[in-house]
Amino acid sequence: MNFKEEYKKSADSISPDKEAIDRMKAAVLAKAAEGPERSAAESRTLPLKRIAIIGGAAAACAVITISAISLLPSIRSANDLVEEASSSAVSMTDNAISDSSAANDGGDKPQMACAGFCSEESACADYDATETDIIESVEMAVSAAEPFTAEPEAAEAFPAEPSAAGGQVNDYQTEQEEAHAFTAAVTAEIYESTYECVDTTAPVLPSQTNTDAGAAVQLPGTDGVMTASEPDMPDEAQDDRKEEPTELAETEETTELTDDGRGNPTVGWSPDYVIETAEIGETLDAISEEATSEAGYYETYEAPAPTESSAPKLVLTGKGWLTYDGERYNEDAEIIPAEPPELIVKRQNVMDKRFYYVNLDGDILTLYDEKMNFIGAYRKR
Amino acid sequence: MDTLSLSAAECFEQVMEFYMPMVYRIAFTRLANRGDAEDVTQEVFLRYFRAGITYQSEEHRKAWLIRCAVNCANSAAGSAWNRHRAAGDVLDNLSEQNGEAGYSDCEESFEKTERRTAVLNAVMRLPDKYRTVIHLFYFEDMSITQISGATGLGESTVKSQLSRARKLLKPLLMEYAGYTGEVDF
C-alpha cells in the first residue's frame, strides 16, 4: 500500500466544492470591500483604569472647589460677626473705662485718669486729643516757634518799644506779638497735653501728682515748705506695724540675761525658737537643759549600722555563678572548705529573698544556707 | 487600499480560485471541522488581500499562503471555543465528511472509498501537530525544508514529527482498513 497515493486521493475528497468556494470568495470580497481593518490602536480597549484615576482626581478637585466656594461666604460672615463682636466689646470696654475714670478721677485730678488708662484716649476725661492731633500740634508749635528765633533780628530791624517807632505799632509788630502769644499758648497747651499723655505712660508718677498721699502739711520751722504726710492707713494695719518692733525689743532684752542675773545660755538661738518655746510655757532653764541634752546627743552620735540597702548585694543566678558586691564569682567545684568559719556574714539573696551565709576569703567566696550547710564555693572572675 | 481595483480584483479572484482548496485542506486537516476551515480560509485570503505584497514567484505566493494558513489554523485551534469543544464533535464532523466522500465514490468502487476514508480517518486520529506535517509532506509534496519554512519549525523537528506520525499511522491504518501488509510511506 502506497500511503502517499492513498492519502492524496482521500484528501482530494475533503476539498471544498464549487458552492463553498464561491461562498468563501464572496465573503472575502465583501470583507475586503468594507475597507481596511481597524488598526490596533483604534481597536484597543479603553484604558478604564487610567480613566477611573483621572476621573476620580477631577471629581475630587471639583468637590473641593465647590465646597470651598460654598464655604467662603459663611467664613466671611463669621469673620464679620467676630469683628463686630470684638469692636463692640472694645467700645463697651472703652465706655466703661471712660465712665469709671470720669467717676473716680475726673474733675480736679485729670492726671490720674490718664495715668491709669494712658493707652486709651477716651479714658482721658479732660483731654480728647488723638495721636494725630498731638503730632499736628507739635508741628504747629515747631512752625510757630520759628518766629521766636527770628524775633531778635526782627527786633533789631523793628524796635519793640512803641515809643521807638514814634508810638506807632506797625503791622509786623502786631503780627509778631500775636504769633508770640499764639505760640506760647499752643506750646503751653502742647506741653501740658504731651506731659499728660507721655508722663502718664510712666509707671510711677511724681509724688506731687500722687493724690493718694496725705494732705500736704507744713512742718514747723519750714516756712512755706510743704511735705507730704504719711498716707492714711487703716488702724489695724498701723497696729500691726507698730507691734512688731516692740516685741522684738523685748525679746532682745530677755535674751541677754536670765532672771537670776546669769548669762543666758540660749544666747544666739533664733528668736523664733525662743518665742515658740515661751509660747508653750517652758522656762529658760528647761530650754537650756534641753539644748544641753541635744548637744550631748549630737556629740555622742555614732554612724548607724549599714542598712540592708547599703550591704553588699548577693545575687545567686543559679547558673554556676553569682555576684556579690558587684563582683562576679564563678563556681569552683575544686574548692572544698573544711568547716564554716566563725566570721561569716548573713546576706539576703536578691533573687529568692532567702538568707545565706557568705564567707569571703580573698578571691574565694563560700556560701552556706541558713542552717550553715555548705552550698558552694566561688572564685572571683 | 480602501477599494479593490478591477485588475487587482480579477487577479485576487484568480488567486483565490486557485489556492483556496489548498488553504481549505490545510485548515481542515488541522481543525477537522468544515465551518472552522472555511473561516480560516476566508481569514487567510483577507490577510493576503490586505497585505498587498508583491510576490516574486508563484512559489513565493504559495509559501506565503501556506504559512498564513498554518498560523491561522493554529490560532483557531488555540481559541477558547476549540479548546473547550468536545472531542465527539470533531469525530462527528469527520464521520459526516467521510460519509459524503464515501457517497461520491460509492458507485465506482466501494472498496476504494472505504480505503480512502480509512486513510483519512487514520490521519485525523493523529495529534494535531503531526497532521499538518503529514498533509504538507504527502499531499502538497513539500520538502522538509519547505515545511520547516512554512510552519516555522526546525528541520529536525519536522523530521522527527514525520517519523512519529508514521509510527502512529501504522496501527491506525490497520485498525480502520484492516491492512495486513506493509505500508509504503
Side-chain angles (χ1 to χ4, degrees):
Chain A
M1 173 191 172
N2 191 349
F3 177 77
K4 189 174 183 177
E5 290 179 358
E6 294 295 332
Y7 181 72
K8 276 191 174 182
K9 291 175 183 174
S10 63
D12 275 335
S13 63
I14 62 174
S15 296
D17 53 3
K18 183 70 176 173
E19 292 178 357
I21 290 173
D22 291 341
R23 191 172 60 248
M24 285 189 286
K25 280 169 61 176
V28 170
L29 289 173
K31 288 180 181 177
E34 287 177 359
E37 190 182 15
R38 290 174 60 191
S39 62
E42 291 175 351
S43 63
R44 188 185 305 165
T45 57
L46 290 171
L48 296 177
K49 191 175 180 181
R50 189 177 299 174
I51 290 171
I53 291 170
I54 295 171
C61 292
V63 167
I64 291 168
T65 307
I66 291 169
S67 59
I69 292 170
S70 61
L71 282 175
L72 270 176
S74 60
I75 291 170
R76 284 176 182 167
S77 61
N79 287 335
D80 294 341
L81 287 173
V82 169
E83 287 177 0
E84 288 176 2
S86 59
S87 62
S88 62
V90 167
S91 62
M92 289 174 65
T93 306
D94 293 345
N95 293 333
I97 289 168
S98 61
D99 293 343
S100 61
S101 62
N104 295 330
D105 305 316
D108 56 348
K109 290 184 285 186
Q111 294 174 351
M112 282 305 297
C114 291
F117 309 101
C118 58
S119 61
E120 299 294 334
E121 295 169 3
S122 60
C124 300
D126 295 340
Y127 181 72
D128 296 332
T130 61
E131 291 178 0
T132 53
D133 294 334
I134 293 168
I135 293 167
E136 288 175 4
S137 59
V138 169
E139 289 175 356
M140 287 174 63
V142 170
S143 60
E146 288 175 357
F148 259 122
T149 57
E151 191 177 4
E153 297 174 2
E156 290 174 359
F158 303 97
E161 293 291 333
S163 58
Q168 293 179 355
V169 179
N170 55 19
D171 295 339
Y172 178 77
Q173 243 180 332
T174 307
E175 287 175 1
Q176 288 298 319
E177 287 175 357
E178 288 176 357
H180 189 183
F182 174 74
T183 305
V186 168
T187 308
E189 183 183 355
I190 288 167
Y191 281 149
E192 186 180 0
S193 61
T194 51
Y195 173 76
E196 286 175 2
C197 288
V198 173
D199 194 26
T200 52
T201 57
V204 178
L205 289 171
S207 61
Q208 289 82 356
T209 60
N210 188 358
T211 57
D212 284 342
V217 293
Q218 184 177 3
L219 294 176
T222 57
D223 296 335
V225 178
M226 305 293 282
T227 58
S229 64
E230 285 282 333
D232 296 335
M233 296 182 70
D235 295 339
E236 295 177 358
Q238 288 182 358
D239 293 338
D240 292 340
R241 290 172 61 187
K242 288 174 181 175
E243 281 176 1
E244 280 184 8
T246 309
E247 197 170 10
L248 287 172
E250 289 175 357
T251 306
E252 287 173 4
E253 287 176 0
T254 54
T255 54
E256 288 174 1
L257 291 172
T258 58
D259 293 337
D260 53 1
R262 294 179 300 172
N264 192 348
T266 60
V267 170
W269 284 39
S270 66
D272 294 337
Y273 182 75
V274 174
I275 291 167
E276 284 179 7
T277 53
E279 282 179 355
I280 60 176
E282 290 179 354
T283 62
L284 294 175
D285 291 337
I287 294 166
S288 62
E289 186 179 350
E290 187 181 354
T292 306
S293 63
E294 285 183 359
Y297 171 76
Y298 285 110
E299 285 174 0
T300 58
Y301 172 76
E302 292 179 354
T307 59
E308 190 66 27
S309 60
S310 62
K313 289 275 190 330
L314 173 66
V315 181
L316 278 169
T317 62
K319 297 177 181 178
W321 60 278
L322 58 85
T323 59
Y324 182 73
D325 198 13
E327 298 289 341
R328 176 169 171 165
Y329 293 85
N330 293 328
E331 189 172 12
D332 193 347
E334 296 177 354
I335 302 170
I336 301 172
E339 291 294 331
E342 294 180 357
L343 295 174
I344 198 163
V345 187
K346 189 178 183 181
R347 300 294 182 205
Q348 187 181 19
N349 183 20
V350 175
M351 304 297 285
D352 55 2
K353 302 299 181 185
R354 292 175 62 185
F355 284 94
Y356 294 85
Y357 287 98
V358 177
N359 178 36
L360 187 60
D361 185 10
D363 293 342
I364 297 170
L365 184 146
T366 50
L367 197 66
Y368 302 88
D369 62 1
E370 288 182 323
K371 297 178 181 178
M372 295 302 289
N373 295 323
F374 176 71
I375 295 176
Y378 300 85
R379 188 185 296 277
K380 186 184 282 187
R381 189 178 64 174
Chain B
M1 200 188 297
D2 292 342
T3 56
L4 194 64
S5 63
L6 185 60
S7 59
E10 288 175 352
C11 179
F12 181 59
E13 284 187 8
Q14 289 175 2
V15 170
M16 279 198 295
E17 199 163 348
F18 188 78
Y19 290 107
M20 193 167 275
M22 179 195 73
V23 172
Y24 178 86
R25 282 192 293 265
I26 292 171
F28 185 83
T29 305
R30 178 69 177 83
L31 300 170
N33 185 276
R34 270 186 189 275
D36 293 342
E38 288 186 5
D39 290 341
V40 168
T41 304
Q42 293 176 30
E43 179 67 22
V44 167
F45 282 101
L46 202 59
R47 289 189 182 187
Y48 168 84
F49 170 72
R50 286 173 177 161
I53 301 170
T54 303
Y55 300 97
Q56 300 171 356
S57 62
E58 284 301 315
E59 289 298 323
H60 185 203
R61 191 194 310 271
K62 183 182 177 182
W64 191 95
L65 288 170
I66 290 172
R67 176 85 185 249
C68 189
V70 169
N71 290 338
C72 289
N74 287 334
S75 298
S79 66
W81 170 254
N82 278 299
R83 277 190 280 110
H84 293 91
R85 188 165 57 184
D89 194 8
V90 178
L91 294 176
D92 292 343
N93 276 281
L94 278 173
S95 301
E96 184 185 352
Q97 175 64 28
N98 292 335
E100 289 177 3
Y103 279 116
S104 63
D105 297 337
C106 185
E107 295 175 358
E108 296 180 0
S109 173
F110 179 76
E111 186 179 355
K112 288 182 181 178
T113 304
E114 282 293 317
R115 185 180 296 175
R116 289 168 190 167
T117 304
V119 169
L120 189 60
N121 278 331
V123 171
M124 291 300 172
R125 293 292 300 265
L126 289 172
D128 298 344
K129 55 185 180 182
Y130 296 156
R131 291 203 297 258
T132 304
V133 177
I134 288 287
H135 180 78
L136 295 176
F137 186 79
Y138 287 107
F139 190 85
E140 302 294 340
D141 293 328
M142 295 173 71
S143 65
I144 291 174
T145 306
Q146 289 173 332
I147 294 171
S148 174
T151 57
L153 302 171
E155 292 185 6
S156 58
T157 306
V158 175
K159 284 181 184 177
S160 64
Q161 286 185 355
L162 279 173
S163 173
R164 289 170 189 165
R166 288 171 191 143
K167 286 181 182 176
L168 290 172
L169 273 172
K170 280 183 182 178
L172 289 173
L173 289 170
M174 292 174 68
E175 178 185 350
Y176 280 99
Y179 287 126
T180 54
E182 287 290 325
V183 179
D184 186 13
F185 286 103

